[in-house]
Amino acid sequence: MAFEGLTHKLQETFKKLRGKGKLTEKDVKEAMREVKLALLEADVNYKVVKDFINSVSQRAVGQEVMESLTPGQHVIKIVNEELIMLMGGRESKINISPKPPTVIMLVGLQGAGKTTMAAKLALHLKKSNKSILLVAADVYRPAAIKQLQILGGQIDVPVFTLGDRANPVDIAKAGVENAKKNAKDVVIIDTAGRLHIDQELMEELQNIKSEVEPFETLLVVDAMTGQDAVNVAQSFNEKLDITGVILTKLDGDTRGGAAISVKAVTGKPIKFAGVGEKLSDLEIFYPDRMASRILGMGDILSLIEKA
Amino acid sequence: MGWFEKLKEGLTKTRDNLTQKVEAIFNFTSELDDDFFEELEEALIVADVGFNTTTAIVEKLKKRIKEKKINQIQEAKDELKNIIVEIMRGDKNIDIIPPKTPAVFMVVGVNGVGKTTSIGKIANFFKSRGYKVMMAAGDTFRAAAIDQLEVWGQRCGVEVIKQKEGADPAAVVFDAIQSAKARKVDILICDTAGRLHNKKNLMEELRKINRVIEKEGRDFYKETLLVLDSTTGQNAIHQAKEFIDVADVNGIVLTKLDGTAKGGVVIAINNELNIPVKMIGVGEGIDDLQAFDPEMFVDALF
Ligand SMILES: Nc1nc2c(ncn2[C@@H]2O[C@H](COP(=O)(O)OP(=O)(O)OP(=O)(O)O)[C@@H](O)[C@H]2O)c(=O)[nH]1
Ligand SMILES: Nc1nc2c(ncn2[C@@H]2O[C@H](COP(=O)(O)OP(=O)(O)OP(=O)(O)O)[C@@H](O)[C@H]2O)c(=O)[nH]1
Ligand SMILES: [Mg+2]
Ligand SMILES: [Mg+2]
């Protein structure tokens, strides 16, 4: 495995240096080469990696190596802490408006997992006794409305639709009106997948947003996304001022470096993780777990935590 | 607009960065020195080529530069393109047109990459070339997957063989092959549910579908297409490895190239696993599918 490689390489690099007092510039530089490769292999964006390595190196040089750790482990400890910080430090909850209904809008690229996530969120909130309305505002993808209706049916949550001939802005607006009339606590709007460079469709989202003033605008990102994650996240954030991110398909074996990239360019918290196709496959996003995953070194980290 | 323009347009933003970068390297470095190669590495990694393949490409370029005594910037640049085109083409068959009919296509890939959409486009591609085409709704799992394929069936006027949601996908494919034989169909295209390659049971299910195709479709020319999303990073290599383990994948459809992602990971896949890209997806419309052209792909990359 790639990460065992990282641990192994770092151990090798530092074998000679065991118990050597302070971390020197040379130690750190050698270790950072390996860390850099690990992060790139995990699909963290190149520029983000570069910035990260620079700032971590600065912090690491001159630090006293803990008695119980090798210099390699000590560098990893620092890298791990910084990664967790970079991803927001701790978990972040979904915000519920004091003035119901709370409108939540899901946006993102094609196939990221928005429709599935709309239903997952509905189920999640339903468990805390919220009444929910799902709104089908994707009129482009074949059978998108039907898909949401089937998913809504599975969890017994109503789905509002005006068919696929109506305008998504009108659908969203009417959906929220409908929720108000029926005293719903939460409205979740599923939108069509779109490219961040598609001017017309990005404008459509801006129009929906200004019309229904969502309390949460969440960008749904596929965890397998590569280097382009920064462009996507930046564009969606610039145009829509998103309030958070959801990572999907984390049940795969991707290292998920996109999490770092997206957080680094938007500064917005990652709130949930999708971990399967079932509607109960939703987890709160924990930065510390994600850091271990990206570094791919659960074992060594638990060792370090004990130190 | 042709796909190349579309691709170029789609890639403009990042391509400009990349081109500027690559050109800056080639213009401002008087020698082809270490800095030059390091910057080149960066450009390739940002295109999702991945570290290993990037290193391999750069090493190869260094060797060629030495052998051919290249000292001109433009020549080095052309050589770099040649190297990538060689990796992407080799002696592989990059043509999707089957050498004989009847042919059966099985389309596989992880969730949401664009399998069903690509099938709709491919069905239309063959139909407009005079083939008699049929589709099989082998995704019986995802909500409204069958309805989605049926919409595509209507769009291109192609019959869809289906059963109920939740039915055994192998049984659907079995039925479809019998119908295809009975109706003397030239090309049968089978949709399958998206599945992550690390899910043992789902991959076993795919193996079973594959066996049905091999057994029932003995007289068919068989093609398995792996659909990859160009936005995907290094995980695509794992995907390819696991899917080849289950079925004899002989082509890749690279989707969503109309975005800013460059799909460079297919270079790594071609380098390591030798599965050729055959078609590319450049949009959500029925005509947004094009034959893969390595030169144009590489041109759009840099
Ligand atoms: N394994 C896994 N699959 C997921 C997850 N979330 C979504 N999917 C699958 O990914 C595929 C795409 O999901 P959708 O919810 O349709 O994605 P979307 O963003 O609404 O797609 P468009 O509306 O076409 O843009 C489906 O096959 C889902 O079942 C997840 O967390 N894990
Ligand atoms: N921009 C763009 N979008 C595409 C392309 N190909 C497919 N899509 C979109 O990607 C989303 C997912 O496509 P599907 O065909 O449903 O993907 P799939 O692999 O069948 O998904 P599952 O069956 O859920 O695993 C849809 O919104 C498609 O319209 C492409 O080449 N470019
Ligand atoms: Mg959707
Ligand atoms: Mg599908």
Side-chain angles (χ1 to χ4, degrees):
Chain A
M1 297 300 294
F3 90 79
E4 281 160 16
L6 173 64
T7 316
H8 180 73
K9 277 181 201 151
L10 282 177
Q11 309 282 47
E12 283 297 300
T13 312
F14 285 101
K15 211 150 72 188
K16 293 160 255 157
L17 305 171
R18 202 178 217 296
K20 205 188 122 189
K22 288 195 170 82
L23 290 170
T24 67
E25 206 170 318
K26 187 164 164 282
D27 299 342
V28 172
K29 204 171 167 192
E30 275 176 47
M32 285 307 160
R33 207 190 113 74
E34 304 300 338
V35 172
K36 180 177 150 187
L37 292 190
L39 293 177
L40 287 177
E41 210 47 39
D43 291 319
V44 182
N45 180 267
Y46 191 88
K47 292 191 189 69
V48 176
V49 171
K50 239 175 159 169
D51 288 350
F52 179 78
I53 295 290
N54 282 342
S55 73
V56 175
S57 301
Q58 274 173 18
R59 191 192 141 187
V61 174
Q63 277 208 10
E64 204 73 50
V65 178
M66 285 169 75
E67 198 74 46
S68 51
L69 300 177
T70 66
Q73 288 169 338
H74 195 93
V75 171
I76 294 204
K77 181 177 145 68
I78 297 170
V79 167
N80 184 49
E81 285 166 7
E82 292 287 326
L83 277 186
I84 294 171
M85 290 246 292
L86 194 60
M87 282 186 288
R90 47 169 311 160
E91 66 267 29
S92 162
K93 295 250 159 62
I94 193 144
N95 292 312
I96 297 296
S97 169
K99 215 178 96 210
T102 297
V103 178
I104 300 171
M105 175 160 116
L106 299 180
V107 301
L109 295 183
Q110 288 94 344
K114 296 173 295 301
T115 307
T116 310
M117 187 50 66
K120 284 181 180 178
L121 280 181
L123 178 64
H124 174 77
L125 292 166
K126 208 180 158 212
K127 282 180 186 151
S128 47
N129 288 321
K130 298 265 183 291
S131 60
I132 297 148
L133 182 68
L134 284 162
V135 175
D138 177 358
V139 298
Y140 307 107
R141 170 174 170 163
I145 299 173
K146 183 82 186 287
Q147 185 188 1
L148 192 65
Q149 283 171 330
I150 292 174
L151 297 176
Q154 286 171 9
I155 52 172
D156 206 17
V157 167
V159 176
F160 180 87
T161 153
L162 294 179
D164 61 8
R165 298 269 163 80
N167 179 305
V169 183
D170 296 336
I171 298 171
K173 208 169 130 188
V176 173
E177 284 309 316
N178 184 287
K180 277 182 188 156
K181 211 170 67 204
N182 293 299
K184 298 287 180 193
D185 301 315
V186 180
V187 187
I188 302 172
I189 303 173
D190 178 32
T191 65
R194 66 203 72 212
L195 292 172
H196 53 293
I197 50 170
D198 187 327
Q199 202 110 356
E200 202 178 315
L201 286 181
M202 290 304 282
E203 254 166 46
E204 178 190 281
L205 286 181
Q206 288 173 316
N207 292 337
I208 295 179
K209 191 175 174 197
S210 64
E211 202 63 63
V212 302
E213 297 181 342
F215 206 63
E216 291 269 22
T217 304
L218 301 173
L219 175 65
V220 179
V221 178
D222 185 325
M224 294 178 273
T225 310
Q227 297 285 319
D228 202 41
V230 290
N231 297 327
V232 174
Q234 195 159 26
S235 300
F236 272 96
N237 192 40
E238 269 168 21
K239 302 214 167 77
L240 296 164
D241 191 20
I242 60 169
T243 56
V245 176
I246 298 178
L247 275 191
T248 60
K249 308 179 198 173
L250 267 169
D251 47 323
D253 59 2
T254 181
R255 301 265 296 281
I260 306 261
S261 307
V262 166
K263 180 64 175 48
V265 296
T266 65
K268 304 297 166 66
I270 302 172
K271 302 205 172 197
F272 290 101
V275 291
E277 295 188 72
K278 290 199 306 296
L279 298 185
S280 53
D281 292 331
L282 178 76
E283 288 177 1
I284 305 285
F285 179 86
Y286 293 102
D288 53 345
R289 291 184 202 168
M290 197 63 207
S292 322
R293 180 180 179 130
I294 289 168
L295 289 173
M297 35 202 326
D299 288 351
I300 193 165
L301 289 174
S302 60
L303 191 102
I304 288 167
E305 267 149 34
K306 281 183 212 125
Chain B
M1 203 176 353
W3 80 266
F4 186 51
E5 283 74 34
K6 220 166 177 171
L7 189 55
K8 280 243 172 189
E9 190 189 68
L11 294 177
T12 305
K13 204 173 139 206
T14 15
R15 199 180 58 84
D16 279 353
N17 288 340
L18 208 56
T19 313
Q20 274 164 15
K21 186 148 277 160
V22 172
E23 265 155 19
I25 299 163
F26 284 105
N27 292 337
F28 296 116
T29 319
S30 49
E31 303 159 73
L32 304 173
D33 59 8
D34 279 357
D35 282 352
F36 159 81
F37 290 110
E38 220 165 272
E39 295 246 3
L40 194 59
E41 261 177 34
E42 176 181 337
L44 289 168
I45 285 169
V46 169
D48 285 318
V49 176
F51 187 80
N52 289 340
T53 305
T54 293
T55 312
I57 290 173
V58 171
E59 286 311 310
K60 202 175 265 179
L61 179 63
K62 280 181 182 165
K63 221 173 120 212
R64 294 267 181 96
I65 285 174
K66 215 168 175 182
E67 277 168 12
K68 299 194 178 177
K69 301 198 167 51
I70 291 171
N71 51 21
Q72 295 291 308
I73 283 137
Q74 190 54 44
E75 274 177 70
K77 199 174 174 178
D78 291 344
E79 201 54 50
L80 173 69
K81 285 184 183 172
N82 287 342
I83 289 169
I84 300 176
V85 169
E86 281 163 26
I87 294 172
M88 295 308 290
R89 190 196 300 278
D91 52 6
K92 294 182 278 269
N93 175 15
I94 61 169
D95 191 358
I96 198 170
I97 309 244
K100 71 179 194 79
T101 56
V104 54
F105 284 68
M106 176 166 83
V107 179
V108 301
V110 301
N111 308 82
V113 286
K115 293 177 292 301
T116 308
T117 308
S118 298
I119 287 169
K121 295 175 188 173
I122 292 170
N124 187 62
F125 171 91
F126 281 122
K127 180 144 194 257
S128 63
R129 278 163 182 74
Y131 292 88
K132 186 167 180 198
V133 185
M134 181 183 265
M135 303 195 276
D139 180 358
T140 59
F141 178 75
R142 214 210 59 213
I146 301 169
D147 304 75
Q148 185 188 0
L149 192 67
E150 282 193 298
V151 172
W152 279 104
Q154 281 154 18
R155 280 183 188 172
C156 46
V158 161
E159 189 184 358
V160 178
I161 302 297
K162 56 161 185 174
Q163 292 181 14
K164 282 200 293 291
E165 197 176 317
D168 176 8
V172 176
V173 168
F174 180 93
D175 269 7
I177 294 178
Q178 309 313 328
S179 304
K181 285 177 187 166
R183 271 167 255 182
K184 302 215 172 347
V185 158
D186 298 314
I187 291 178
L188 169 66
I189 312 172
C190 306
D191 194 11
T192 64
R195 67 199 75 221
L196 291 177
H197 50 288
N198 61 335
K199 307 241 161 130
K200 274 242 156 61
N201 55 338
L202 294 179
M203 293 306 272
E204 278 314 309
E205 181 193 85
L206 193 63
R207 214 185 278 278
K208 189 173 151 201
I209 299 172
N210 189 50
R211 268 202 302 270
V212 168
I213 293 179
E214 265 164 8
K215 187 147 171 271
E216 298 305 315
R218 261 187 311 262
D219 304 330
F220 286 63
Y221 171 79
K222 199 187 148 229
E223 177 107 7
T224 303
L225 294 174
L226 172 67
V227 181
L228 294 177
D229 182 331
S230 61
T231 322
T232 308
Q234 299 310 298
N235 193 250
I237 300 170
H238 295 255
Q239 293 171 21
K241 281 183 180 156
E242 296 300 327
F243 279 102
I244 347 183
D245 186 51
V246 170
D248 201 359
V249 175
N250 35 6
I252 289 170
V253 179
L254 184 62
T255 60
K256 309 185 193 176
L257 268 176
D258 46 326
T260 50
K262 291 168 295 289
V265 70
V266 295
I267 300 173
I269 290 172
N270 270 265
N271 195 39
E272 288 180 36
L273 304 169
N274 219 28
I275 317 167
V277 177
K278 295 199 166 177
M279 302 299 272
I280 61 168
V282 289
E284 299 185 79
I286 198 163
D287 295 319
D288 295 328
L289 175 86
Q290 299 292 335
F292 178 69
D293 181 327
E295 277 85 9
M296 285 189 182
F297 175 73
V298 175
D299 270 343
L301 207 61
F302 294 108

